[in-house]
Amino acid sequence: MVVLSKPSIKQMASSYMRNSMAAAGSSSAAFFSGVPLIDLSAPDAKHLIVKACEELGFFKVVNHGVPMEFISTLESESTKFFSLPLSEKQRAGPPSPFGYGNKQIGRNGDVGWVEYLLLNTHLESKSDGFLSIFGQDPQKLRSAVNDYISAVRNMACEILELMAEGLKIQQRNAFSKLLMDEESDSVFRVNHYPPCPELHALKGTNMIGFGEHTDPQIISVLRSNNTSGLQISLADGNWISVPPDQSSFFINVGDSLQVMTNGRFKSVKHRVLTNRLKSRVSMIYFGGPPLSEKIAPLPSLMKGEESLYKEFTWFEYKRSAYNSRLADNRLVHFERIAAS
Ligand SMILES: C=C1C[C@]23C[C@@]1(O)CC[C@H]2[C@@]12CC[C@H](O)[C@@](C)(C(=O)O1)[C@H]2[C@@H]3C(=O)O
Ligand SMILES: O=C(O)CCC(=O)C(=O)O
Ligand SMILES: [Fe+2]
């Protein structure tokens, strides 16, 4: 078992309380059987995707075409990395913005029972620091990440194109072209949540692995091992537990897609609770636009309505997002006040 060093369990528990990060006694949330299931090869996939994005902002995908071999190689290479002594992992950190992080999430005081790798998706570029992050022998992890990201990006683009079709947008690649752009500001993250029986015993409840938030980008593609922990928030504010499924992917609508659809699609609030006994490993591709891209509702989706949002670029949104706390509503600063 990988033991996360310092601070101690007790310090963590009180830090969680200070940061209001204890899981509000919701460890009993039952598994939700209502996660929309999309078979990407089915003829009605586009309509089901649109429905899921409108109702929940979240769905599960099967028949996704990502080779299982890419998934398992990346999982085992990541597990190897997280099994290294902390001092070695820390040579790849802190994430500024890319690299290894431990418990601290972002720069604004959020903590979770998690260690992670945050990576640039442009692995070919010299500036991503991959070599400096991983020292002398980054090759296997690097090529596992490369293979995985390109397959997952293709799947994300297929989903975005089905979405565009389902929304009857003329330009089928209206969303996907942003992820395919050479300048696309996409991010990749591998999270490792060690089991923590002591914390559970101490607090009598699940603790927060990754606090509640929405993802700022367009679309997030999440895959985890078979350990539970992911929860999503329903429109009524209730948290529901998503049954893990290691051979499928889970898709989140991000804030930018909510804006591009003028609020028709919902950016889903989610979080991860710790598991008492098992490690959770998740890999998430966050598909984002180029920094200079204007994020605004697509004209064909407006049908005479006003935009709910002020104009902004992804650079402006990202700068504001990275100055916020995890649980903040980041879009609120960009909402247009309706004229009365
Ligand atoms: C607290 C933070 C971590 C985060 C940047 C932020 O200031 C607010 C958004 C967070 C988030 C959530 C989704 C992704 O995991 C992430 C990489 C992102 O783009 O926005 C994280 C950021 C992070 O961990 O740096
Ligand atoms: O680890 C997970 O399952 C989800 C993590 C997450 O939401 C994130 O990294 O943004
Ligand atoms: Fe997230």
Side-chain angles (χ1 to χ4, degrees), residues 71-84 117 137-145 190 283:
I71 300 173
S72 45
T73 306
L74 181 56
E75 184 174 332
S76 66
E77 286 304 310
S78 307
T79 303
K80 262 193 233 161
F81 174 80
F82 289 122
S83 310
L84 291 171
L117 278 171
D137 186 24
Q139 293 313 338
K140 266 187 105 178
L141 183 55
R142 180 187 186 129
S143 75
V145 169
V190 187
M283 312 152 178

Side-chain angles (χ1 to χ4, degrees), residues 154-203:
N154 287 343
M155 179 196 43
C157 287
E158 189 187 338
I159 292 171
L160 291 171
E161 287 172 14
L162 287 168
M163 242 175 225
E165 274 183 37
L167 287 168
K168 302 198 167 61
I169 298 169
Q170 287 238 325
Q171 202 189 2
R172 195 173 185 262
N173 68 350
F175 303 123
S176 63
K177 67 178 184 196
L178 303 174
L179 273 56
M180 291 314 283
D181 194 301
E182 272 189 14
E183 301 292 317
S184 151
D185 182 38
S186 298
V187 183
F188 183 62
R189 169 172 216 139
V190 187
N191 290 325
H192 171 227
Y193 303 88
C196 192
E198 298 94 331
L199 264 180
H200 281 252
L202 201 67
K203 305 304 314 166

Side-chain angles (χ1 to χ4, degrees), residues 26-328:
S26 51
S27 53
S28 61
F31 276 138
F32 183 58
S33 54
V35 174
L37 176 64
I38 313 291
D39 176 345
L40 275 193
S41 63
D44 59 347
K46 57 183 181 227
H47 303 300
L48 296 177
I49 290 175
V50 168
K51 187 165 181 276
C53 293
E54 289 174 341
E55 291 176 356
L56 214 53
F58 184 82
F59 56 93
K60 170 167 140 171
V61 167
V62 293
N63 275 323
H64 44 69
V66 177
M68 209 46 220
E69 191 202 327
F70 289 180
I71 300 173
S72 45
T73 306
L74 181 56
E75 184 174 332
S76 66
E77 286 304 310
S78 307
T79 303
K80 262 193 233 161
F81 174 80
F82 289 122
S83 310
L84 291 171
L86 185 69
S87 57
E88 264 184 65
K89 292 184 283 191
Q90 278 172 334
R91 283 169 43 203
S96 55
F98 301 117
Y100 171 75
N102 190 326
K103 300 189 192 83
Q104 274 159 19
I105 301 172
R107 304 179 297 219
N108 308 310
D110 289 287
V111 288
W113 192 251
V114 64
E115 57 177 344
Y116 59 88
L117 278 171
L118 257 179
L119 300 171
N120 186 346
T121 57
H122 297 291
L123 294 174
E124 311 76 30
S125 86
K126 294 221 166 54
S127 59
D128 83 331
F130 205 93
L131 277 167
S132 60
I133 289 175
F134 293 104
Q136 294 310 302
D137 186 24
Q139 293 313 338
K140 266 187 105 178
L141 183 55
R142 180 187 186 129
S143 75
V145 169
N146 263 340
D147 290 345
Y148 181 89
I149 289 179
S150 57
V152 165
R153 184 198 286 120
N154 287 343
M155 179 196 43
C157 287
E158 189 187 338
I159 292 171
L160 291 171
E161 287 172 14
L162 287 168
M163 242 175 225
E165 274 183 37
L167 287 168
K168 302 198 167 61
I169 298 169
Q170 287 238 325
Q171 202 189 2
R172 195 173 185 262
N173 68 350
F175 303 123
S176 63
K177 67 178 184 196
L178 303 174
L179 273 56
M180 291 314 283
D181 194 301
E182 272 189 14
E183 301 292 317
S184 151
D185 182 38
S186 298
V187 183
F188 183 62
R189 169 172 216 139
V190 187
N191 290 325
H192 171 227
Y193 303 88
C196 192
E198 298 94 331
L199 264 180
H200 281 252
L202 201 67
K203 305 304 314 166
T205 183
N206 294 71
M207 301 300 291
I208 293 293
F210 203 113
E212 68 176 78
H213 65 283
T214 59
D215 294 343
Q217 293 82 0
I218 296 172
I219 189 170
S220 314
V221 181
L222 182 152
R223 186 268 168 190
S224 79
N225 66 354
N226 247 355
T227 302
S228 62
L230 180 65
Q231 296 193 322
I232 58 171
S233 166
L234 301 181
D236 61 9
N238 278 323
W239 285 101
I240 50 122
S241 294
V242 176
D245 180 346
Q246 59 188 356
S247 53
S248 304
F249 286 90
F250 293 94
I251 308 296
N252 290 359
V253 170
D255 294 345
S256 300
L257 189 55
Q258 176 171 322
V259 173
M260 293 173 86
T261 58
N262 207 23
R264 186 163 160 188
F265 287 2
K266 302 288 177 277
S267 156
V268 63
K269 205 191 275 181
H270 55 287
R271 66 181 183 184
V272 178
L273 301 187
T274 54
N275 189 290
R276 196 161 66 87
L277 300 172
K278 287 161 64 189
S279 278
R280 175 178 167 88
V281 176
S282 60
M283 312 152 178
I284 309 114
Y285 166 78
F286 302 94
L291 287 171
S292 58
E293 186 71 24
K294 265 196 198 138
I295 308 298
L298 295 184
S300 68
L301 296 180
M302 304 274 281
K303 296 184 202 122
E305 331 160 346
E306 302 246 314
S307 170
L308 298 175
Y309 304 94
K310 300 172 198 160
E311 272 207 2
F312 58 90
T313 61
W314 169 240
F315 174 79
E316 288 162 333
Y317 188 64
K318 194 177 161 184
R319 187 178 49 193
S320 153
Y322 275 66
N323 281 320
S324 68
R325 296 290 299 261
L326 258 188
D328 289 345

